[in-house]
């Protein structure tokens, strides 16, 4: 019982949030409902017109005025045509209204989801599959689209139609109406059972779709690894298994609807029709009702079950939309770990002084990656971080730009705690160049500008020339307008790195964070990159994670990390003279290079 109450409460909360998105367009919905009421009214007149025509014809056959009956029947036929024409026009208006409302609402939902994704921490993306997020922004939101564009108002139409039929039938004959309505309890019970089963199944379907999307995203990205290790068959087996699970889940849904549909549409309709024929026939023979009334009731019985079936189908969409909405709202409710203070400081100009004061940091619980780390970088200094894998070098870079927040201590930029600074303002002043350069689909120019229209074409070319990227860019077929495929796969690692240097320089940061950019790059390109680096670093505070110690011998300060702690620091010569960990690392690399 508690579980059921919790589910009802959760669904109510979801529906309330969905309606909140529709609230700004409430008057458009009202207009759509008015149109629907007109359509329902016109539909309800159709059986009445047919019943009236039947009685006129029966009277004429029984000895009435044939010419007058003919005139009346023609009038009814013309009225029927007019009713159909007006309904056609109103249905078009209704469809356009719903499409307008739906697209407006879905646009708001999609923008809210993407805006929230933009603000989530890097830690969230590290633990969440890309395919799952793509499913939320595309498939799940499109599922909501159908609900807003058809279901909300269509359910109103079905309810109005059902109520209208009940009232009209009672007005014509109470006894026949009550006999017909005896099937309603069975309809309500079967609908409730179906609704409960469908809701559970739709949630499973959405989960399986997200799983397949995640699998596809991951394996398409890692296709090279799949082919290198020749595991195509095993990958296919796994995809086949996931696809089969989704197929089975869809088949369960189809089977449930295949049972429910005929139960309502055929069995109960047949029962109601049999009751009408038996009791209506007796009443007609007794002279209590006309033949037109029986025809009218038979027509209404057919129409009586249509809105019920429509509601059942719309419940299908609602169940699917509710399952999708729950997953979308779960994403929107994902806590933003890196929060900005209401009175955060906007940085205008910075000197570039960085200081860590007794910093402790762990990605999870108290599994400390950094332990009581303290150091100071003066403006314009070049500081390198060295140490074994897992020592905490890259973590220091991620903390300076607030991709994560520390648990203890302080990180200061120009004497200001970075948690007191606007996040965008902080990151705009820090240029980060990674070993694995990411290029977006577009062209070279857009990858340097990154949608910042304040950066002119002239500044792009100037930055590219300064970092030695202009030579290869100018030789491309389309120059700076050369198309860039996904991830920049058509460019070499060195070319991607030079583009990233031009990108960084175009944004004019005062602090540079560099994950050594010359790894796995040919000698000629490395010389260009080293020359570009020396230019970019001039006059800027630079923090370098060094993998090859030979590249940081000119650093102003070298900080040696081991198991989350600083064990040594000083310049190259000072550290070698100490014969400590740096000396050991340098000696190992030197011996390895000599053997090669």
């Amino acid at each position: 019982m508690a579980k059921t109450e919790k589910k009802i409460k959760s669904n109510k909360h979801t529906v309330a949030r969905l309606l909140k998105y529709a609230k700004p367009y409430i008057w458009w919905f009202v207009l759509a409902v008015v149109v629907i009421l007109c359509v329902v009214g016109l539909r309800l007149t159709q059986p009445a017109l047919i019943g009236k025509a039947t009685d006129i014809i029966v009277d004429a056959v029984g000895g009435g005025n044939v010419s007058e009956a003919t005139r009346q029947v023609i009038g009814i036929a013309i009225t029927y045509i007019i009713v159909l024409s007006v309904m056609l026009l109103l249905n078009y208006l209704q469809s356009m209204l719903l499409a307008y409302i739906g697209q407006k609402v879905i646009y708001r939902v999609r923008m809210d989801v993407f805006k929230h994704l933009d603000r989530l921490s890097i830690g969230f993306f590290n633990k969440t599959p890309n395919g799952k997020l793509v499913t939320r922004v595309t498939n799940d939101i499109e599922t909501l689209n159908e609900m807003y564009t058809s279901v909300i108002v269509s359910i109103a139409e079905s309810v109005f139609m059902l109520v209208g039929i009940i009232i009209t039938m009672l007005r014509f004959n109470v006894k026949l109406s009550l006999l017909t309505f005896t099937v309603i309890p069975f309809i309500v019970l079967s609908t409730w059972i179906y609704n409960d089963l469908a809701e559970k199944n739709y949630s499973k379907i959405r989960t399986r779709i997200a799983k397949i999307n995640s699998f596809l995203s991951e394996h398409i990205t890692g296709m090279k690894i799949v082919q290198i290790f020749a595991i195509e068959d095993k990958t296919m087996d796994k995809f086949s298994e996931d696809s089969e699970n989704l197929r089975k889940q869809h088949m369960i849904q189809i089977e449930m609807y295949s049972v429910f549909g005929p139960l309502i549409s055929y069995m109960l309709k047949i029962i109601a029709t049999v009751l009408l024929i038996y009791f209506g026939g007796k009443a007609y023979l007794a002279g209590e009702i006309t033949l037109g009334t029986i025809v009218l009731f038979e027509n209404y019985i057919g129409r009586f079950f249509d809105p019920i079936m429509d509601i059942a189908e719309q419940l299908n969409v609602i169940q699917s939309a509710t399952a999708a909405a729950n997953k979308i709202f779960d994403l929107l409710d994902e806590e933003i770990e890196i929060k900005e203070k209401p009175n955060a400081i906007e940085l205008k100009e910075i000197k570039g002084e960085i200081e860590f004061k007794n910093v402790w940091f762990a990605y999870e619980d108290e599994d400390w990656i950094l332990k009581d780390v303290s150091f100071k970088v003066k403006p314009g200094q070049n500081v390198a971080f060295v140490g074994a894998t897992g020592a905490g070098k890259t973590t220091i870079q991620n903390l300076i730009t607030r991709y994560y927040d520390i648990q203890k201590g302080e990180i200061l930029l120009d004497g200001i705690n970075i948690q007191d600074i606007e996040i965008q303002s902080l990151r705009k002043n820090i240029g980060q160049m990674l070993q694995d350069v990411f290029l977006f689909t577009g062209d070279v120019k857009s990858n340097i500008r990154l949608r910042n229209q304040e950066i002119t074409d002239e500044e792009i070319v100037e930055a590219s020339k300064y970092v030695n990227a202009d030579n290869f860019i100018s030789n491309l077929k389309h120059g700076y307008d050369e198309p860039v495929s996904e991830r920049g796969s058509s460019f070499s690692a060195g070319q991607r790195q030079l583009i990233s240097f031009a990108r960084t320089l175009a944004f004019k940061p005062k602090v540079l964070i560099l994950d050594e950019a010359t790894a796995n790059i040919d000698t000629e390109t490395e010389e260009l990159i080293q020359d570009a680096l020396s230019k970019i670093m001039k006059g800027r505070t630079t923090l370098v994670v060094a993998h090859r110690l030979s590249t940081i011998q000119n650093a102003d300060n070298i900080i040696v990390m081991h198991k989350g702690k600083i064990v040594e620091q000083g310049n190259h010569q000072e550290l070698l003279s100490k014969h400590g960990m740096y000396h050991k690392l340098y000696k190992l690399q030197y011996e390895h290079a000599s053997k090669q």
Side-chain angles (χ1 to χ4, degrees):
M1 182 68 74
K3 188 176 180 181
T4 304
E5 287 177 0
K6 186 178 179 182
K7 186 179 78 172
I8 292 170
K9 188 176 179 181
S10 173
N11 285 345
K12 283 182 178 179
H13 180 62
T14 300
V15 170
R17 291 180 74 170
L18 288 171
L19 291 176
K20 187 178 177 182
Y21 277 99
K23 190 176 179 182
Y25 311 102
I26 185 66
W27 291 112
W28 289 99
F29 275 112
V30 170
L31 180 58
V33 169
V34 170
V35 172
I36 284 169
L37 282 171
C38 294
V39 171
V40 168
L42 291 171
R43 282 182 179 170
L44 289 173
T45 62
Q46 291 173 314
L49 289 171
I50 294 170
K52 186 177 180 181
T54 302
D55 283 339
I56 291 171
I57 293 168
V58 170
D59 288 343
V61 171
N65 188 329
V66 175
S67 60
E68 177 62 22
T70 303
R71 187 184 63 77
Q72 289 179 351
V73 169
I74 291 171
I76 290 172
I78 292 170
T79 304
Y80 199 92
I81 292 170
I82 292 170
V83 167
L84 286 176
S85 300
V86 175
M87 279 176 58
L88 182 66
L89 181 64
L90 290 176
N91 280 326
Y92 170 77
L93 180 60
Q94 173 189 321
S95 298
M96 293 303 294
L97 278 171
L98 294 176
Y100 173 80
I101 295 166
Q103 289 305 313
K104 283 284 188 181
V105 172
I106 291 305
Y107 174 81
R108 288 187 64 214
V109 175
R110 189 180 288 115
M111 292 304 294
D112 279 359
V113 171
F114 191 77
K115 183 180 178 181
H116 189 70
L117 280 174
D118 255 359
R119 296 168 63 197
L120 290 172
S121 69
I122 295 297
F124 169 79
F125 293 101
N126 287 341
K127 65 185 180 184
T128 308
N130 291 340
K132 185 177 180 181
L133 300 178
V134 170
T135 301
R136 298 292 167 267
V137 183
T138 54
N139 298 31
D140 289 342
I141 290 179
E142 276 306 306
T143 302
L144 289 184
N145 183 33
E146 188 178 355
M147 187 189 75
Y148 281 113
T149 54
S150 61
V151 172
I152 291 178
V153 181
S154 293
I155 281 186
E157 180 180 0
S158 298
V159 170
F160 293 152
M161 191 70 187
L162 197 58
V163 172
I165 289 172
I166 290 171
I167 292 171
T168 307
M169 289 173 73
L170 287 169
R171 188 168 62 85
F172 276 97
N173 192 290
V174 174
K175 185 179 178 181
L176 281 180
S177 299
L178 294 176
L179 284 168
T180 304
F181 299 157
T182 54
V183 299
I184 289 179
F186 299 101
I187 294 171
V188 173
L189 179 63
S190 58
T191 303
W192 180 80
I193 294 170
Y194 171 75
N195 188 37
D196 185 59
L197 294 172
E199 181 182 2
K200 294 173 183 175
N201 199 62
Y202 268 120
S203 183
K204 291 178 182 177
I205 287 173
R206 304 311 307 174
T207 300
R208 294 196 187 284
I209 289 173
K211 188 175 181 180
I212 284 179
N213 284 345
S214 298
F215 183 90
L216 280 171
S217 176
E218 186 175 45
H219 282 75
I220 289 171
T221 303
M223 188 55 70
K224 189 174 181 181
I225 299 298
V226 171
Q227 293 180 356
I228 286 172
F229 288 93
I231 57 170
E232 291 92 339
D233 290 344
K234 290 182 174 61
T235 303
M236 188 64 198
D237 289 344
K238 175 60 179 168
F239 183 72
S240 176
E241 180 186 338
D242 290 344
S243 297
E244 178 63 13
N245 289 336
L246 178 60
R247 186 194 68 79
K248 287 178 179 177
Q249 213 67 54
H250 274 301
M251 286 306 299
I252 290 171
Q253 193 65 34
I254 292 167
E255 286 168 9
M256 284 194 296
Y257 185 72
S258 297
V259 171
F260 176 75
L263 179 68
I264 298 296
S265 185
Y266 298 111
M267 285 184 61
L268 297 179
K269 185 185 287 186
I270 289 169
I271 292 169
T273 305
V274 168
L275 290 173
L276 172 66
I277 292 171
Y278 179 74
F279 290 102
K282 284 180 68 176
Y284 173 69
L285 293 173
E288 297 173 5
I289 60 172
T290 65
L291 184 62
T293 303
I294 294 177
V295 172
L296 179 144
F297 262 78
E298 195 281 329
N299 207 311
Y300 275 131
I301 285 174
R303 292 170 185 254
F304 180 77
F305 288 92
D306 288 340
I308 293 172
M309 285 302 299
D310 289 341
I311 289 172
E313 288 179 12
Q314 289 149 7
L315 285 174
N316 261 335
V317 179
I318 286 178
Q319 294 303 337
S320 180
T322 302
N326 283 330
K327 294 183 183 300
I328 290 169
F329 292 140
D330 283 345
L331 177 58
L332 286 172
D333 292 338
E334 189 72 37
E335 188 177 353
I336 298 171
E337 295 177 7
I338 311 302
K339 295 177 181 177
E340 191 174 275
K341 293 182 178 179
N343 57 344
I345 301 165
E346 181 184 359
L347 295 177
K348 298 292 185 183
E349 290 288 331
I350 68 167
K351 296 175 184 176
E353 181 182 271
I354 297 170
E355 184 175 5
F356 273 50
K357 282 187 174 181
N358 308 108
V359 170
W360 289 73
F361 173 75
Y363 290 104
E364 290 185 12
D365 302 324
E366 293 190 357
D367 185 13
W368 300 110
I369 305 299
L370 297 182
K371 305 168 186 175
D372 199 24
V373 171
S374 297
F375 63 84
K376 190 170 186 176
V377 182
K378 294 177 182 178
Q381 262 194 328
N382 176 6
V383 175
F385 295 84
V386 302
T389 300
K393 309 182 297 297
T394 302
T395 297
I396 287 174
Q397 291 186 336
N398 290 333
L399 294 178
I400 292 170
T401 45
R402 273 200 83 189
Y403 293 140
Y404 302 91
D405 275 339
I406 60 175
Q407 284 81 15
K408 301 178 191 178
E410 282 186 302
I411 301 175
L412 309 175
L413 177 61
D414 286 355
I416 305 169
N417 191 318
I418 61 170
Q419 294 188 12
D420 296 329
I421 300 170
E422 287 182 358
I423 295 172
Q424 275 201 343
S425 180
L426 171 70
R427 292 174 183 169
K428 278 181 179 178
N429 282 282
I430 300 173
Q432 191 164 7
M433 293 178 288
L434 305 175
Q435 189 176 328
D436 183 19
V437 177
F438 190 95
L439 297 183
F440 293 91
T441 302
D443 55 36
V444 173
K445 189 163 54 182
S446 67
N447 268 284
I448 295 174
R449 180 182 280 127
L450 289 181
R451 297 184 177 85
N452 184 349
Q453 298 306 318
E454 293 179 7
I455 299 173
T456 65
D457 290 354
E458 291 75 18
E459 287 175 322
I460 289 172
V461 175
E462 184 183 345
S464 299
K465 285 180 177 178
Y466 195 73
V467 299
N468 304 322
D470 180 70
N471 289 336
F472 90 85
I473 294 174
S474 298
N475 288 324
L476 296 171
K477 184 178 180 180
H478 301 287
Y480 286 85
D481 295 316
E482 180 74 14
V484 176
S485 58
E486 190 175 3
R487 295 179 174 270
S489 56
S490 57
F491 295 93
S492 69
Q495 289 173 332
R496 291 198 298 271
Q497 197 61 264
L498 289 172
I499 290 173
S500 81
F501 288 177
R503 173 196 291 171
T504 302
L505 190 62
F507 277 79
K508 301 183 175 85
K510 290 294 292 183
V511 176
L512 285 179
I513 295 178
L514 179 64
D515 191 343
E516 191 175 14
T518 56
N520 304 319
I521 288 175
D522 61 88
T523 306
E524 184 180 348
T525 308
E526 181 177 348
E527 289 177 2
L528 290 174
I529 289 175
Q530 289 292 3
D531 179 64
L533 279 173
S534 63
K535 291 176 181 176
I536 295 174
M537 290 161 61
K538 198 175 295 180
R540 291 183 171 89
T541 304
T542 306
L543 284 74
V544 181
V545 167
H547 305 288
R548 291 190 291 174
L549 304 185
S550 59
T551 63
I552 56 160
Q553 293 182 21
N554 296 323
D556 299 314
N557 189 29
I558 299 171
I559 296 176
V560 184
M561 304 286 299
H562 182 63
K563 293 184 178 180
K565 294 183 177 181
I566 296 175
V567 292
E568 294 175 340
Q569 59 179 311
N571 61 38
H572 176 68
Q573 293 300 329
E574 288 172 349
L575 291 174
L576 284 180
S577 64
K578 288 180 181 179
H579 292 279
M581 183 172 286
Y582 182 81
H583 181 270
K584 187 187 293 183
L585 289 171
Y586 186 78
K587 188 177 179 183
L588 284 171
Q589 284 197 10
Y590 180 77
E591 288 175 354
H592 179 70
S594 299
K595 288 177 182 177
Q596 289 182 329

